[in-house]
Amino acid sequence: MAEDFPLIVSKAVAESNKRFRDENSALQEENRLIRIEAAKLSCNLMVAEIDHSRLEDAMSAELRGARKEASDLPQKLHLLAQEKIELESKLVSYRLKVANLEASMKADAAKVENLEKRSADREVLLGKVEKERDDTKAELDRAQEENMRIAAELAQAREETRKLLKSLLGLAKKLKG
């Protein structure tokens, strides 16, 4: 019976070691999946930031063009008024041309209004993209905290296993001696 004890202890140590390796393997796989998910979230965040930057640049360029167009409108209006006076003094038939130019001005104003509306819509979209970016970053932070917690648990499990093996080896030495 006493001869079987070292065999029983070694089997118990082997089983415990196997369970530890299995748990360690599972934790490593879970850790690897968490890292992959974190990398994916980081990539998605980078893509969202690039899209946001591109969208912001396009909106800025479009807004600059609209503002320039809007600032040129008063000068165009003044020139058209002078031309109208000259044309009315020369020929009545040119009044039709002046009316067409005024209609063009109204169309330009409608374009400016439409651009301002689109700019407001894009600002709303930008807010949504920023919120998604912030949500993704928060999710990434939570995943990193979870990863750190799992790593701490794994280190603790390793330490406990090491202590258990040490005490089992000490016990086995005592039993042999």
Side-chain angles (χ1 to χ4, degrees):
M1 185 75 151
E3 296 169 0
D4 292 338
F5 189 69
L7 183 62
I8 292 170
V9 169
S10 67
K11 282 184 181 179
V13 168
E15 287 177 20
S16 175
N17 205 5
K18 183 181 182 302
R19 257 183 301 174
F20 170 72
R21 278 193 225 111
D22 291 344
E23 288 174 7
N24 188 21
S25 176
L27 286 172
Q28 283 177 345
E29 181 62 25
E30 189 175 330
N31 191 11
R32 192 171 18 262
L33 291 174
I34 288 172
R35 284 184 188 159
I36 289 169
E37 186 64 28
K40 179 182 170 187
L41 290 173
S42 177
C43 182
N44 288 345
L45 177 63
M46 192 181 327
V47 167
E49 287 175 350
I50 289 169
D51 285 345
H52 164 70
S53 177
R54 184 179 41 79
L55 190 66
E56 192 175 47
D57 291 345
M59 284 176 30
S60 293
E62 197 171 321
L63 188 59
R64 274 194 303 274
R67 284 184 178 156
K68 178 162 178 21
E69 227 177 276
S71 69
D72 292 343
L73 284 177
Q75 185 180 2
K76 285 181 183 178
L77 180 63
H78 178 72
L79 293 173
L80 287 175
Q82 284 182 343
E83 185 178 338
K84 181 181 175 186
I85 292 170
E86 290 174 13
L87 291 176
E88 284 179 346
S89 69
K90 291 180 181 177
L91 298 169
V92 175
S93 63
Y94 283 117
R95 288 183 189 227
L96 181 60
K97 183 177 180 181
V98 171
N100 289 339
L101 290 173
E102 288 175 347
S104 174
M105 272 186 1
K106 288 180 183 177
D108 287 346
K111 284 180 186 177
V112 168
E113 184 177 302
N114 186 27
L115 288 174
E116 288 174 351
K117 182 179 179 266
R118 285 174 47 196
S119 175
D121 291 345
R122 288 193 177 165
E123 286 178 11
V124 169
L125 179 62
L126 174 63
K128 289 178 183 178
V129 168
E130 287 176 342
K131 184 182 181 318
E132 285 180 16
R133 181 200 64 207
D134 293 344
D135 291 347
T136 303
K137 187 173 185 325
E139 188 175 323
L140 176 62
D141 291 343
R142 284 192 296 275
Q144 287 175 338
E145 288 174 10
E146 180 67 16
N147 189 19
M148 289 172 59
R149 185 187 62 75
I150 289 170
E153 288 176 6
L154 179 61
Q156 184 180 3
R158 284 180 182 159
E159 182 62 26
E160 288 174 9
T161 301
R162 187 185 61 76
K163 287 178 182 177
L164 180 62
L165 286 174
K166 195 179 213 181
S167 67
L168 284 175
L169 286 173
L171 184 60
K173 285 181 181 179
K174 283 181 184 179
L175 289 176
K176 282 185 180 181

